[in-house]
Amino acid sequence: AVLLYENKPHGPQEVPVPRFALKSGNGKFIMAIGAFIQPVVGVDIGNTLGGSMYFRPASIVNVPAKQGQKADFFINPLHSGIDVQVIGFPGTKNQLVGYVNFNFTGDDNSGIAKLNAVYVKYRGLLAGYNYSLFTDAATMPSTISWCSVTGNDWSKGYQVSYSSPSFSGFSFGLSIEQPNFNEGSKIYKGKDYPDYDDNTVIGNATQPVPDIPFYLQYGWCKSSHIRVSGLVRNFCYVDKVSDKTRFVTGMGVQFSTKIQICKPLTFLGQGIYGKGIGHYINGMFGLPLSYLPDDAKPGKVKATEMMGWLAGLRCYVSKKIFLNYTFGQSRVYGVGSYWDEFKYGLDTRFSVFYNVTPYVQTAVEYLWAKQVQFSDASAKVNRLQATVRVSL
């Protein structure tokens, strides 16, 4: 079980380690299939997110709230996931891991399987699709929602990365990853082809340079560490005023930590700041904010300044019950005249989890979010939800 746990992703909605696995007679091959089914029932009060499992301030439907749309009951029976993990030469220096994971969120009533992770891992090298190396998944708080708290880094990407072993508590990592500037596409889709004096002045371009995240971490025990992460990225576009292909550099820095204050109580924290890194800040992912036209220079774009942070506490009341409280914020600055919507969002959650058996977990959760726009218009939403998770 420890070997399977150490070689799979760890996040608030990942498939738990399965309770059974197949092992070859000579011990050189292990295959495990895990899954969970987690129906969710809840209600939005004061506004609506359209029944979406992705709870975040930027997804508030009406700003301000509209009469007749201030409450929304929902049931999502398809909140589930399945994964397959294969380990060759387990426990040796030549250990080889293959992993694939799909989830079924049931969002928008589609229920279509979505790729959550797929990779091959060998001696610290990983090639495939997984959490970005910029992400410190160990500092993400537990939540029923499929989307983690706004303000933290919850990004994934296609990558070739290296994570070192621990050297007296110190470790590091470096990666090259496929650029992503808006949800579901590596090509920037926000404010396409903006006009100036009725002429199109900016055009899209493919992205020839990868994102490069890296980190340095120090851990003084299994349950406590601090990490500093960095990110450099490049955005390529067409300046139609000067008829040139140009690029602008974005960069970010993150400090994250997980500290066990005492045996039952753990502090989780993240702080992110940068320019052009909307894809890496939960609450801005999917918004066309990373790079916007420069008002002062028609035909050119600039990297948008932004930040995010979260702080949380996890407390184990007993071996079976733990509480989780988090608060986070994401904010964007200096967007100019091409964006007048999302300015900042606040997100707080309080959850109670009860592990009934190793296979069954129940939870209830209260969530609150607020979105403020550049016009100073704002809206809030409250959500109450509950779930039962059955793991296989």
Side-chain angles (χ1 to χ4, degrees), residues 192-230:
D192 286 343
Y193 310 110
D195 295 337
Y196 181 78
D197 289 342
D198 297 323
N199 294 312
T200 299
V201 295
I202 297 175
N204 283 333
T206 55
Q207 305 300 325
V209 179
D211 289 5
I212 304 176
F214 49 91
Y215 73 83
L216 177 64
Q217 177 174 308
Y218 175 70
W220 54 96
C221 64
K222 289 185 177 180
S223 55
S224 299
H225 73 262
I226 56 174
R227 176 188 287 198
V228 177
S229 305

Side-chain angles (χ1 to χ4, degrees), residues 12-13 53-57 139-155 268 270 272 280-284 308-313 324-330 345-351 365-369:
Q13 292 295 349
M53 293 295 96
Y54 294 88
F55 185 89
R56 56 182 183 174
T139 63
M140 289 193 289
S142 299
T143 178
I144 295 176
S145 174
W146 200 267
C147 185
S148 190
V149 181
T150 194
N152 81 311
D153 173 34
W154 188 58
S155 53
L268 305 172
Q270 289 188 12
I272 309 168
Y280 294 88
I281 300 179
N282 190 35
M284 296 185 191
W309 62 267
L310 76 82
L313 291 172
N324 197 85
Y325 174 76
T326 53
F327 187 89
Q329 178 184 180
S330 58
L346 303 173
D347 180 345
T348 190
R349 307 180 188 191
F350 177 74
S351 317
E365 186 171 55
Y366 167 73
L367 310 91
W368 173 90

Side-chain angles (χ1 to χ4, degrees), residues 27 36 80 92 142 159 169-170 249 278 296 300 303 351:
F36 72 87
S80 57
T92 71
S142 299
Q159 62 188 267
F170 288 95
T249 300
K300 294 185 178 182
S351 317

Side-chain angles (χ1 to χ4, degrees), residues 10 32 38 42 52 61 69 100 111 127 192 213-214 222 248 273 330 341:
H10 304 295
Q38 185 180 333
S52 174
V61 175
Q69 299 183 35
V100 61
D192 286 343
F214 49 91
K222 289 185 177 180
V248 58
Y273 173 80
S330 58
E341 298 178 28

Side-chain angles (χ1 to χ4, degrees), residues 22-30:
L22 300 175
K23 188 175 182 179
S24 64
N26 58 11
K28 294 183 178 180
F29 177 85
I30 297 175

Side-chain angles (χ1 to χ4, degrees), residues 149-301:
V149 181
T150 194
N152 81 311
D153 173 34
W154 188 58
S155 53
K156 292 189 174 184
Y158 297 96
Q159 62 188 267
V160 177
S161 62
Y162 175 76
S163 298
S164 78
S166 176
F167 301 99
S168 300
F170 288 95
S171 59
F172 64 90
L174 176 67
S175 180
I176 55 172
E177 302 182 6
Q178 179 171 291
N180 194 330
F181 299 102
N182 200 357
E183 188 171 14
S185 174
K186 67 177 182 178
I187 300 177
Y188 181 64
K189 294 293 184 182
K191 300 294 182 183
D192 286 343
Y193 310 110
D195 295 337
Y196 181 78
D197 289 342
D198 297 323
N199 294 312
T200 299
V201 295
I202 297 175
N204 283 333
T206 55
Q207 305 300 325
V209 179
D211 289 5
I212 304 176
F214 49 91
Y215 73 83
L216 177 64
Q217 177 174 308
Y218 175 70
W220 54 96
C221 64
K222 289 185 177 180
S223 55
S224 299
H225 73 262
I226 56 174
R227 176 188 287 198
V228 177
S229 305
L231 171 71
V232 179
R233 65 191 325 216
N234 178 85
F235 174 60
C236 189
Y237 67 98
V238 176
D239 177 351
K240 292 194 172 183
V241 173
S242 59
D243 194 27
K244 292 182 178 180
T245 299
R246 299 187 183 277
F247 72 89
V248 58
T249 300
M251 57 186 63
V253 63
Q254 175 180 196
F255 175 82
S256 56
T257 186
K258 177 182 178 182
I259 301 175
Q260 188 176 62
I261 300 172
C262 56
K263 191 170 183 180
L265 188 64
T266 300
F267 171 79
L268 305 172
Q270 289 188 12
I272 309 168
Y273 173 80
K275 294 184 177 182
I277 60 170
H279 175 66
Y280 294 88
I281 300 179
N282 190 35
M284 296 185 191
F285 181 79
L287 298 178
L289 284 174
S290 289
Y291 299 88
L292 289 173
D294 189 336
D295 284 337
K297 301 175 182 178
K300 294 185 178 182
V301 303

